[in-house]
């Protein structure tokens, strides 16, 4: 997993819960907290940080992942080159497709060892988008938060249903519906 995810997570924990709690979570996780944005790290280390943050805060790990996805959306967006930016997408559905068809492809070119999640698109019309999120990292709630952050950016109200397709959560079907405003 790319280090930018780790650095963003550590910044979020410090901002929301304070440096003291971040230090406690790092210590519980036997983690020095030294990451570079361009480095590659084992995603299990992030999972351990999330689980230990959940233990300290009594906030459900899925809720923490979701909040992380929401907060990191704009920072990740700012980190991609302008030609790959949101300028090519006028709504949340277009952006999600752009992520899979362009951004993930470019990430793999820049970082051959990267393994971004895959989106397999099932159906789409003006008001609905159904796709399967596939990732061995099983972090679909981060994806949910990213979708919510994107919808907020586009000033859209979207209802999201998630249905695990595998017991381990490595494949989750997302059913998105744009709500009329």
């Amino acid at each position: 997993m790319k280090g930018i995810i780790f650095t963003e997570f550590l910044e979020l924990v410090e901002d929301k819960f304070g440096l003291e709690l971040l230090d406690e979570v790092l210590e519980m996780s036997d983690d020095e907290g030294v990451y570079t944005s361009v480095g590659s790290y084992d995603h299990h280390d992030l999972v351990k940080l999330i689980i230990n943050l959940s233990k300290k805060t009594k906030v459900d790990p899925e809720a923490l992942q979701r909040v992380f996805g929401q907060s990191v959306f704009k920072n990740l967006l700012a980190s991609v080159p302008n030609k790959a930016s949101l300028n090519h997408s006028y709504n949340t559905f277009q952006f999600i497709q752009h992520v899979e068809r362009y951004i993930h492809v470019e990430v793999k070119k820049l970082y051959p060892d990267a393994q971004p999640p895959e989106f397999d698109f099932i159906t789409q019309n003006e008001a609905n988008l159904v796709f399967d999120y596939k990732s061995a990292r099983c972090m679909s709630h981060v994806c949910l938060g990213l979708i919510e952050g994107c919808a907020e950016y586009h000033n859209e109200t979207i209802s999201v249903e998630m249905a695990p397709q595998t017991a381990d959560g490595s494949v989750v079907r997302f059913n998105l519906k744009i709500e009329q405003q």
Side-chain angles (χ1 to χ4, degrees):
M1 177 175 277
K2 296 316 292 176
I4 191 169
I5 301 300
F6 285 82
T7 59
E8 291 289 335
F9 179 76
L10 296 177
E11 286 178 25
L12 174 68
V13 173
E14 184 177 350
D15 289 347
K16 298 288 185 189
F17 299 104
L19 185 57
E20 185 176 316
L21 185 73
L22 173 59
D23 287 340
E24 291 174 24
V25 169
L26 288 168
E27 187 175 317
M28 284 176 69
S29 305
D30 196 27
D31 190 317
E32 294 180 9
V34 179
Y35 299 99
T36 64
S37 61
V38 296
S40 293
Y41 306 95
D42 188 335
H43 79 279
H44 292 102
D45 294 337
L46 182 61
V47 171
K48 192 185 319 181
L49 291 168
I50 291 168
I51 290 169
N52 287 327
L53 178 62
S54 175
K55 289 176 183 175
K56 292 298 284 184
T57 62
K58 307 294 187 232
V59 176
D60 183 66
E62 287 81 14
L64 291 171
Q65 289 181 47
R66 186 176 180 180
V67 169
F68 175 57
Q70 292 166 348
S71 70
V72 81
F73 172 78
K74 290 180 184 170
N75 292 340
L76 288 177
L77 182 64
S79 73
V80 297
N82 191 32
K83 68 180 181 177
S85 75
L86 202 52
N87 296 335
H88 295 283
S89 306
Y90 302 102
N91 61 41
T92 302
F93 292 178
Q94 286 179 348
F95 185 73
I96 292 167
Q97 291 178 339
H98 186 68
V99 165
E100 177 59 25
R101 295 181 178 141
Y102 182 79
I103 294 175
H104 284 169
V105 171
E106 292 300 312
V107 166
K108 289 179 193 178
K109 287 179 189 174
L110 289 170
Y111 308 103
D113 63 330
Q115 296 176 330
E118 294 178 31
F119 303 152
D120 285 342
F121 298 103
I122 313 287
T123 61
Q124 180 186 355
N125 59 38
E126 295 271 331
N128 295 85
L129 174 65
V130 179
F131 68 94
D132 284 345
Y133 160 93
K134 296 180 177 182
S135 175
R137 295 183 185 102
C138 307
M139 299 184 98
S140 60
H141 286 85
V142 173
C143 182
L144 172 61
L146 288 164
I147 291 167
E148 291 169 336
C150 185
E152 181 182 334
Y153 181 87
H154 285 292
N155 199 28
E156 296 175 314
T157 303
I158 295 180
S159 64
V160 180
E161 293 178 13
M162 297 170 60
Q165 304 296 297
T166 57
D168 67 356
S170 62
V171 180
V172 175
R173 180 153 299 159
F174 280 82
N175 187 341
L176 283 57
K177 181 178 180 183
I178 295 177
E179 302 293 329
Q180 299 300 323
Q181 297 187 24

